[in-house]
Amino acid sequence: MTLRLLPLLMLAATSPADAVPADDAPRPAFFEALRAADLRLATIAYRLTTANAALCDQLQPQIGMPIHALTQYAPAARKVAATTFRFGATIGVEAVVAGAPADRAGVRANDSIVEIDGKAQPALPATDAPENAGARDAAEAAIANAPVAQPVRMTLLRDGQRVPVAIKPVVGCRSRFEILLGSGLDASADGSVVQIGEKFFEGYSDAEIAVIVSHELSHNILRHRARLDAVKINRGMLAEFGRNGRLIRETEDQADLLGIYLLANAGYDPMSAPKFWREKGGDIDGGLFRSRTHGSSKARAEALEAAARDIAATPTRPIVPPVLATRNVPLR
């Protein structure tokens, strides 16, 4: 799986109370908290993308292995990051999803990647190298663009030893996922990347996070960003009004509906979606001050509960719902 999980380190981001001392040099606890959250997101994303491959017309190899680059971290953070994650090269394996192809191939967290399908990856950067995610992005692209039916071959560096592996991928929906530090309970999708605010990983269960991830993944599957752009929808100050508000609301309702099918296909209880909006929706939609481009928590829960009852009466998986056919229909 090619996940965009770690943006450039923001030392002011929410972290464990003792993670960032007064001198702004992060402690290992900060990075371990990031790793734990990233692994939760990676596991949810792997489950959703692989179980719903039949619903996606844009696919990629999914291997269940979030990666990161030492150059993503600010110079003040880089020394501790290098030690915590045992970087032996620029690209490292941050975590491995249990039971996923990378896990079955013997890849371990803290392995470094020195070669992907015969292409050498960067060695350790200079200590003063500028913050840059380019090396990570290139490595992710090499995995995402590999043939879905062939093993992804890598040479890893582990405790100073080169370890060759062949990872037999699972086909899955094409999308990248990242935790957006400093963004609270925000979530978004731009057609290729799903971003989830870090606050969801503080007090929300994996099943609850999956409701949000499936909704945002649905935006990508349904090509909502491109379709809204095609009809010149304003997402700024005028987003809530007139035609802008009507069409954005239409895409949000569609993403809610497809999202509950993605959950069910991946083995989550579809009733978790209406339950989420009843119990946690007020944290997200702003109540009286919510954006009118989204339904109220109550309306979303009622619509999703009706869909969940229909899903319960359909024993086959994966279910391909009618809303999927809208992805090629221009918005009007």
Side-chain angles (χ1 to χ4, degrees), residues 3-18:
L3 303 179
R4 187 186 182 104
L5 295 176
L6 287 176
L8 302 181
L9 181 65
M10 299 164 60
L11 298 180
T14 301
S15 59
D18 65 341

Side-chain angles (χ1 to χ4, degrees), residues 36-316:
D38 288 340
L39 180 56
R40 291 178 68 191
L41 178 58
T43 302
I44 293 165
Y46 176 79
R47 186 170 168 180
L48 287 168
T49 55
T50 57
N52 288 287
L55 280 66
C56 297
D57 59 354
Q58 298 184 54
L59 302 169
Q60 71 173 73
Q62 296 287 1
I63 62 176
M65 190 185 79
I67 62 176
H68 55 166
L70 184 56
T71 46
Q72 288 176 254
Y73 299 97
R78 201 167 288 161
K79 183 176 180 180
V80 180
T83 301
T84 303
F85 297 121
R86 302 180 194 173
F87 278 101
T90 293
I91 307 298
V93 177
E94 187 193 9
V96 178
V97 174
D103 185 31
R104 295 196 296 271
V107 181
R108 302 177 188 172
N110 295 337
D111 284 345
S112 295
I113 303 175
V114 296
E115 191 174 271
I116 300 174
D117 283 336
K119 183 175 181 179
Q121 300 300 300
L124 282 171
T127 55
D128 60 349
E131 300 170 32
N132 193 307
R136 187 279 315 274
D137 291 348
E140 287 187 336
I143 299 170
N145 294 330
V148 295
Q150 297 180 15
V152 179
R153 299 187 183 277
M154 297 185 184
T155 301
L156 308 175
L157 192 64
R158 181 185 300 159
D159 299 326
Q161 302 296 314
R162 292 169 72 91
V163 180
V165 296
I167 306 171
K168 186 177 180 180
V170 177
V171 66
C173 302
R174 190 179 185 94
S175 194
R176 300 166 71 186
F177 301 81
E178 69 181 28
I179 295 173
L180 191 60
L181 301 181
S183 63
L185 291 173
D186 292 338
S188 65
D190 68 359
S192 59
V193 181
V194 168
Q195 292 185 328
I196 305 296
E198 92 284 345
K199 283 288 188 181
F200 282 108
F201 299 87
E202 302 172 12
Y204 288 76
S205 69
D206 286 359
E208 291 170 334
I209 296 170
V211 173
I212 300 299
V213 176
S214 66
H215 173 93
E216 299 303 336
L217 177 58
S218 293
H219 281 308
N220 285 352
I221 293 172
L222 294 172
R223 302 197 190 104
H224 281 153
R225 174 61 67 91
R227 290 164 63 205
L228 287 168
D229 287 347
V231 290
K232 298 180 171 54
I233 290 301
N234 186 312
R235 297 184 186 84
M237 295 181 62
L238 300 177
E240 295 190 35
F241 302 102
R243 177 172 173 268
N244 292 319
R246 175 177 62 81
L247 291 182
I248 294 173
R249 172 65 180 270
E250 180 179 335
T251 63
E252 293 300 331
D253 290 346
Q254 288 177 352
D256 271 354
L257 183 58
L258 179 58
I260 197 171
Y261 284 92
L262 301 186
L263 290 171
N265 289 340
Y268 292 100
D269 179 359
M271 282 295 180
S272 64
K275 180 180 179 183
F276 174 86
W277 287 109
R278 285 198 176 94
E279 296 181 358
K280 301 291 179 69
D283 298 341
I284 298 169
D285 72 11
L288 181 63
F289 301 102
R290 69 178 175 84
S291 169
R292 294 318 190 250
T293 58
H294 294 66
S296 67
S297 295
K298 182 175 183 292
R300 297 174 87 166
E302 289 175 352
L304 290 173
E305 187 166 15
R309 286 194 292 267
D310 290 341
I311 289 169
T314 306
T316 59

